[in-house]
Amino acid sequence: MPVVDVQPDELRRLTGHEDKSDEEFKDDLFALGLEFEGVTDDGAFQLEFGPDRLDRLSVEGVARSLRYQYGDARGVAVPNTNDPDWTFVVDDDVPDERPYVTGAVVRGVDLDDAALDSLIQLQEKLHATMGRKRAKGAIGIHDLTMLKGDVLSENASGNSITYTGIEPDGDTFVALDSNDELTPAEVLEQHATGRKYADLVSEYDRYPAIYDEIGLFSFPPVINGRRTEVSTDSRDLLVELTGTDQWTIDRMCNIICYALAARGATIEEVEVQYETGTVTKPDFEVETKHVSHDRIETVLGVELELDEVIDLFERSGLDANAELGEETVYEVSIPPYRVDVLHPLDLVDDVGRAYGFNELEPRYPDVGTVGQRHERSRLEDAVRTSLVGLGFEDLLNFHMISEGENYERMGVEVGSGYLGGGEPASITEPYSEDYTMLRTWVLPSLTMVLENNTHRAYPQDLAEIGHVAHRDDDENTRVAEARHVAAVLARHDATYEDAKARLAALCRDFDAELETPATDHPSFIDGRTAAVVIDGEEVGVVGELHPKVIVDHDLELPVAAFEFDLSALA
């Protein structure tokens, strides 16, 4: 989950509620779904929230949400924009892998230290989430006064910059945090930021580059030039975004523009000139979605008047008009910075938060049954108790993971037939490249925990009972789901025998017959690996992790492990 640092004094200033105490703010923020995680050394709140509300990745976005909650602002607000004076010319040499650009000119912004820190944090958080670590979208923010625009033509006024592609060893520029004139290829080799993001462009024949009349000033998605560096003295800014998806970079641009507008800045449009035509950015189009009155009442479990629902929408930063007929349906206007409203239930959630989830009265469902624990839940609880009794520390990891962690770092190929090699159930539009699919097995999650805890004392004996899934066209949902039991023993003397002994003890607790015939698995050492056969059915694997897996996870001692299907113990 994203964690954002927010200074409470900035919240007071931007909300206009100077009298609010820190504790009152914490309660109000929790009502919005932002959880207080602690305080930084300089007194900033550390707030964690769901990755859907990316407009809250800055203090300006959080303050805007609070103003709506307090009733100080209502309905959809769209910043006024001035006519364009700058044009982005997209050259035909732009790399095919990164063809899209958008942006805005921002004038009259007051950047003190707090505002500049917030802008930098917003930029980096958007890179990490929507931008997928700059792979899908990257942001460049420049001091406009340091740019000299090309004249478009003899008959046209205004300024232009050019988005193009250059040879890796082409023109030089001085990158941020550097004093040396370097080519793009040299930046990737010699600059710390260049090395960090080199893999994003290293396979390109030509590298993305942005020029003004003076020369190269931005090397997206890697680094900006030092000439246009933004400081607290900057008042006019050029915001440019490049990426692989136009919708994504347009929405990232909107979030930045709204944050700067909250600081009193004026947004000025830019024209983006493609070979196929010219478009005007930023895209502040207000979208609409529909939801029925009955659905709102059914989901929330409360009866609401029509005017009350419209009021709650407006207190959520939305506008709504009721369309009366056999069924009352609301046409709801969505502001340009809201990237999370994809479904009518997202609208119901906004109404519920504005109403106050704490105000909802609990009630028994109108059914004639008595609840009790599911048998699978009872089995999980019993197995978990046995694992703890065997000396394992019980874990609960995310069910989502990346393809690299699930397959590549474990040495498993997709569709290989080995445990964990099933076809992935992938997310079509993930917010983060760290969570792009449902995991097909549990051991990758446990090895990631070991990797992140090399500073802890050993031995580390960890276990988890967790959800796994893989594509299966024979299932109605096209996805087969299961619960797996997995465990690792990380210690200087961990062996296959140690893992098998714990596994055998677990099976004895459930009167299950265990057999361990020799097998092979790419995550384990040949000759130190066996299949887990319980009551005559092969359900998993046990053995010593392969040295390549151990090295790839920066572990410096042996790891023995096992994993099998929980249902085998039923």
Side-chain angles (χ1 to χ4, degrees):
M1 296 290 194
V3 175
V4 175
D5 296 344
V6 172
Q7 287 287 352
D9 288 341
E10 283 290 283
L11 273 185
R12 293 184 181 94
R13 188 169 71 82
L14 291 169
T15 60
H17 287 260
E18 301 285 350
D19 56 336
K20 283 276 184 180
S21 69
D22 287 0
E23 293 304 316
E24 288 175 315
F25 267 138
K26 292 175 188 177
D27 291 339
D28 297 338
L29 292 167
F30 185 78
L32 288 174
L34 283 74
E35 296 190 21
F36 177 76
E37 291 293 313
V39 179
T40 64
D41 292 339
D42 60 351
F45 291 169
Q46 292 184 304
L47 303 175
E48 180 184 77
F49 55 92
D52 55 338
R53 287 303 300 267
L54 299 179
D55 56 293
R56 293 174 178 166
L57 287 173
S58 67
V59 64
E60 295 87 1
V62 174
R64 179 174 54 246
S65 294
L66 285 174
R67 285 178 54 79
Y68 280 119
Q69 183 183 22
Y70 298 152
D72 298 333
R74 302 181 68 82
V76 172
V78 178
N80 294 323
T81 55
N82 292 340
D83 292 336
D85 183 54
W86 284 79
T87 299
F88 295 177
V89 178
V90 182
D91 194 274
D92 57 5
D93 283 337
V94 166
D96 293 337
E97 299 90 342
R98 203 173 188 87
Y100 301 108
V101 65
T102 191
V105 168
V106 180
R107 297 191 185 273
V109 65
D110 183 12
L111 285 180
D112 57 14
D113 288 331
L116 183 57
D117 288 345
S118 178
L119 180 59
I120 293 171
Q121 176 179 238
L122 176 60
Q123 181 181 10
E124 291 310 311
K125 295 294 183 181
L126 284 173
H127 279 159
T129 51
M130 279 192 87
R132 295 190 198 170
K133 296 183 179 178
R134 306 193 188 185
K136 194 172 185 180
I139 307 160
I141 303 177
H142 309 273
D143 189 327
L144 187 67
T145 60
M146 301 307 296
L147 292 170
K148 184 176 181 181
D150 286 318
V151 178
L152 278 172
S153 69
E154 294 181 0
N155 301 321
S157 61
N159 304 285
S160 72
I161 58 175
T162 302
Y163 178 42
T164 186
I166 63 172
E167 295 293 333
D169 293 320
D171 293 334
T172 63
F173 74 115
V174 179
L176 287 173
D177 301 321
S178 175
N179 296 313
D180 301 324
E181 288 273 355
L182 301 174
T183 65
E186 289 171 337
V187 168
L188 301 187
E189 294 173 358
Q190 301 177 29
H191 196 289
T193 302
R195 290 193 295 270
K196 182 177 181 180
Y197 295 105
D199 62 316
L200 297 180
V201 297
S202 58
E203 300 300 319
Y204 293 4
D205 294 330
R206 296 176 66 83
Y207 290 166
I210 304 179
Y211 284 79
D212 66 353
E213 186 176 331
I214 299 173
L216 176 63
F217 70 90
S218 181
F219 174 26
V222 180
I223 196 166
N224 294 337
R226 184 172 174 180
R227 167 162 63 96
T228 61
E229 183 176 4
V230 175
S231 70
T232 53
D233 295 325
S234 302
R235 291 295 174 264
D236 297 337
L237 309 177
L238 176 77
V239 180
E240 48 86 1
L241 297 92
T242 64
T244 61
D245 178 73
Q246 187 72 58
W247 186 93
T248 298
I249 61 175
D250 280 341
R251 296 311 179 275
M252 292 168 70
C253 183
N254 290 347
I255 292 172
I256 292 171
C257 287
Y258 267 83
L260 292 171
R263 297 282 182 180
T266 300
I267 309 300
E268 181 178 291
E269 295 175 336
V270 299
E271 291 187 339
V272 180
Q273 191 178 93
Y274 292 103
E275 285 188 340
T276 55
T278 300
V279 293
T280 301
K281 301 295 181 180
D283 181 6
F284 283 162
E285 181 183 359
V286 175
E287 298 183 351
T288 59
K289 292 195 179 294
H290 296 80
V291 64
S292 69
H293 185 90
D294 180 67
R295 189 167 197 180
I296 294 172
E297 290 189 332
T298 300
V299 173
L300 296 181
V302 295
E303 294 183 1
L304 299 168
E305 298 294 331
L306 185 148
D307 290 343
E308 188 178 4
V309 173
I310 292 177
D311 175 71
L312 293 171
F313 274 126
E314 291 179 350
R315 286 179 49 211
S316 302
L318 312 173
D319 283 332
N321 294 310
E323 300 175 354
L324 304 179
E326 292 185 8
E327 184 180 36
T328 300
V329 176
Y330 298 96
E331 182 183 69
V332 183
S333 300
I334 316 299
Y337 62 83
R338 288 291 299 273
V339 300
D340 60 300
V341 182
L342 306 175
H343 188 276
L345 283 177
D346 296 318
L347 301 174
V348 177
D349 179 74
D350 275 9
V351 171
R353 288 198 180 279
Y355 182 85
F357 287 132
N358 289 337
E359 302 300 320
L360 300 178
E361 295 184 5
R363 61 180 182 177
Y364 285 106
D366 188 20
V367 293
T369 62
V370 177
Q372 61 180 341
R373 298 192 66 176
H374 193 280
E375 283 304 314
R376 187 192 68 190
S377 177
R378 294 179 189 273
L379 176 62
E380 280 186 33
D381 211 29
V383 174
R384 188 170 285 112
T385 299
S386 292
L387 287 168
V388 172
L390 290 169
F392 289 105
E393 183 174 351
D394 184 41
L395 299 184
L396 177 62
N397 285 303
F398 292 127
H399 297 161
M400 294 185 66
I401 200 169
S402 68
E403 281 85 352
E405 295 288 355
N406 192 83
Y407 300 112
E408 295 172 19
R409 299 187 74 197
M410 299 299 293
V412 176
E413 293 185 2
V414 180
S416 60
Y418 292 109
L419 178 72
E423 295 282 344
S426 300
I427 310 302
T428 304
E429 291 291 340
Y431 276 110
S432 169
E433 65 179 14
D434 293 330
Y435 306 104
T436 59
M437 59 170 283
L438 293 174
R439 63 185 179 182
T440 59
W441 57 325
V442 179
L443 272 180
S445 299
L446 294 183
T447 54
M448 289 168 65
V449 173
L450 291 176
E451 180 180 21
N452 292 326
N453 284 276
T454 54
H455 59 292
R456 303 290 185 185
Y458 290 96
Q460 293 182 25
D461 298 344
L462 312 176
E464 180 181 1
I465 302 173
H467 178 269
V468 300
H470 67 271
R471 291 284 302 277
D472 187 344
D473 290 338
D474 293 333
E475 297 285 339
N476 289 333
T477 61
R478 302 293 186 267
V479 175
E481 301 177 78
R483 309 287 287 185
H484 277 197
V485 181
V488 292
L489 297 94
R491 54 182 68 198
H492 74 279
D493 57 352
T495 64
Y496 162 81
E497 287 77 12
D498 295 324
K500 179 183 175 180
R502 304 283 187 100
L503 176 61
L506 179 63
C507 290
R508 284 196 299 273
D509 285 347
F510 291 86
D511 296 325
E513 182 180 345
L514 173 68
E515 298 175 72
T516 53
T519 189
D520 68 292
H521 190 287
S523 300
F524 295 84
I525 299 174
D526 288 343
R528 305 294 293 169
T529 308
V532 175
V533 178
I534 297 179
D535 292 337
E537 183 179 357
E538 184 174 334
V539 292
V541 64
V542 56
E544 297 175 18
L545 287 188
H546 196 283
K548 183 179 184 303
V549 175
I550 291 175
V551 171
D552 279 351
H553 289 83
D554 295 325
L555 305 177
E556 298 180 353
L557 72 178
V559 178
F562 62 79
E563 179 167 342
F564 65 92
D565 194 320
L566 171 69
S567 62
L569 295 179

